[in-house]
């Protein structure tokens, strides 16, 4: 049975007005830096004197999120290594997604099936509610449990594996999304990625 997959990391919120980044975050972080330079050096600076190394912030945050996922992942997830991020051209209908190479234990299907058996009614409703097309949303995911499980266990489709892992995490802790994101914010503080522009002279 296949044990290695490249999957979208469950519950990653992206960087568009999310727990990981919002339009006000760097503004307030820079204000703290402005106060610091005023108090320590008597230097009056402005927002325009600073810049955020957003690319490095995202890369370090993505790595941290994969590690945070491993801390809460089911026991059959043996390892996860961050590979890449995919961002939409526009944030109208989707947000950033990150991917990782994961390795599962040989019994991963048995463990998932056990979870399904214990949460059968909840899952059937969740799958149907989440993946039924509606106004403004066209679904390409099976919205009936039987078809969903066929994709998951027979085809071992990586999209369905990602979704089922998400369901397992949410079922174990309804606040898991906030927990993961806030844990990563603590480990990757934004102020470490804000610095003076090269053109600014102290």
């Amino acid at each position: 049975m296949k044990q290695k997959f490249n999957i979208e990391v469950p519950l990653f919120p992206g960087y568009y007005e999310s727990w990981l980044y919002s339009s006000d975050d760097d503004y307030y972080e820079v204000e703290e830096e402005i106060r610091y330079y005023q108090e320590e050096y008597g230097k009056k600076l402005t927002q325009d004197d600073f810049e955020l190394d957003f690319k490095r912030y995202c890369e370090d945050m993505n790595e941290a999120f994969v590690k945070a996922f491993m801390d809460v992942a089911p026991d059959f997830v043996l390892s996860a290594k961050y590979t890449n991020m995919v961002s939409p051209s526009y944030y109208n209908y989707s947000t950033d997604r990150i991917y990782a190479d994961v390795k599962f234990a040989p019994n991963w299907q048995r463990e998932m099936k056990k979870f399904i058996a214990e949460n059968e009614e909840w899952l059937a409703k969740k799958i149907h509610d989440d993946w039924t097309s509606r106004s403004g949303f066209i679904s390409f995911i099976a919205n009936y449990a039987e078809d969903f499980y066929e994709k998951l266990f027979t085809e071992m489709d990586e999209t369905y594996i990602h979704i089922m892992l998400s369901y397992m995490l949410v079922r174990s802790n309804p606040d898991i999304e906030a927990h993961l994101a806030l844990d990563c914010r603590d480990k990757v503080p934004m102020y470490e990625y804000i610095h003076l522009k090269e053109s600014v002279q102290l």
Side-chain angles (χ1 to χ4, degrees):
M1 182 187 298
K2 187 176 179 180
Q3 292 174 243
K4 295 181 179 180
F5 302 90
N6 182 259
I7 65 166
E8 180 182 346
V9 179
L11 308 180
F12 181 71
Y15 294 103
Y16 181 71
E17 301 302 319
S18 75
W19 279 303
L20 298 185
Y21 179 78
S22 71
S23 55
D24 291 333
D25 284 344
D26 49 349
Y27 173 83
Y28 290 115
E29 293 289 353
V30 169
E31 286 296 301
E32 288 295 322
E33 292 293 306
I34 290 172
R35 279 191 286 272
Y36 169 77
Y37 280 95
Q38 177 70 46
E39 293 170 3
E40 292 294 319
Y41 301 100
K43 183 74 173 180
K44 191 172 183 178
L45 300 171
T46 69
Q47 286 276 333
D48 292 336
D49 293 321
F50 294 86
E51 58 189 359
L52 168 66
D53 190 344
F54 190 63
K55 182 178 180 181
R56 188 166 66 90
Y57 173 74
C58 289
E59 285 299 302
D60 289 352
M61 183 64 80
N62 296 347
E63 294 269 9
F65 197 93
V66 173
K67 291 177 182 176
F69 160 70
M70 275 302 301
D71 288 341
V72 298
D75 290 342
F76 62 77
V77 184
L78 301 181
S79 64
K81 183 179 180 181
Y82 170 67
T83 58
N84 65 295
M85 178 170 73
V86 175
S87 299
S89 298
Y90 303 97
Y91 286 98
N92 303 56
Y93 302 106
S94 62
T95 190
D96 312 284
R97 294 171 290 169
I98 62 173
Y99 291 81
D101 287 332
V102 298
K103 183 179 181 181
F104 290 166
N107 68 337
W108 71 269
Q109 284 203 359
R110 185 168 72 246
E111 290 300 305
M112 278 193 177
K113 288 176 180 178
K114 180 182 176 183
F115 171 77
I116 290 168
E118 293 172 350
N119 299 275
E120 189 172 2
E121 186 176 341
W122 179 84
L123 274 170
K125 184 177 188 306
K126 191 95 173 108
I127 290 167
H128 193 263
D129 289 349
D130 287 351
W131 305 111
T132 297
S133 296
R134 51 191 176 273
S135 178
F137 172 68
I138 299 175
S139 175
F140 298 96
I141 302 296
N143 66 336
Y144 284 98
E146 295 81 1
D147 299 328
F148 188 100
Y149 301 148
E150 175 75 15
K151 291 280 189 180
L152 177 62
F153 295 122
T154 302
E155 298 182 24
M156 289 183 278
D157 187 298
E158 290 168 336
T159 298
Y160 288 79
I161 291 172
H162 151 252
I163 295 169
M164 184 55 69
L165 284 172
S166 300
Y167 288 157
M168 294 178 81
L169 293 176
V170 169
R171 191 61 166 164
S172 67
N173 177 4
D175 298 319
I176 191 67
E177 292 180 74
H179 168 80
L180 285 170
L182 295 176
D183 178 54
C184 290
R185 283 297 294 260
D186 286 341
K187 292 175 179 175
V188 187
M190 185 176 289
Y191 68 82
E192 293 187 0
Y193 302 84
I194 291 173
H195 52 80
L196 285 170
K197 294 179 180 177
E198 291 183 4
S199 58
V200 176
Q201 300 293 320
L202 288 180

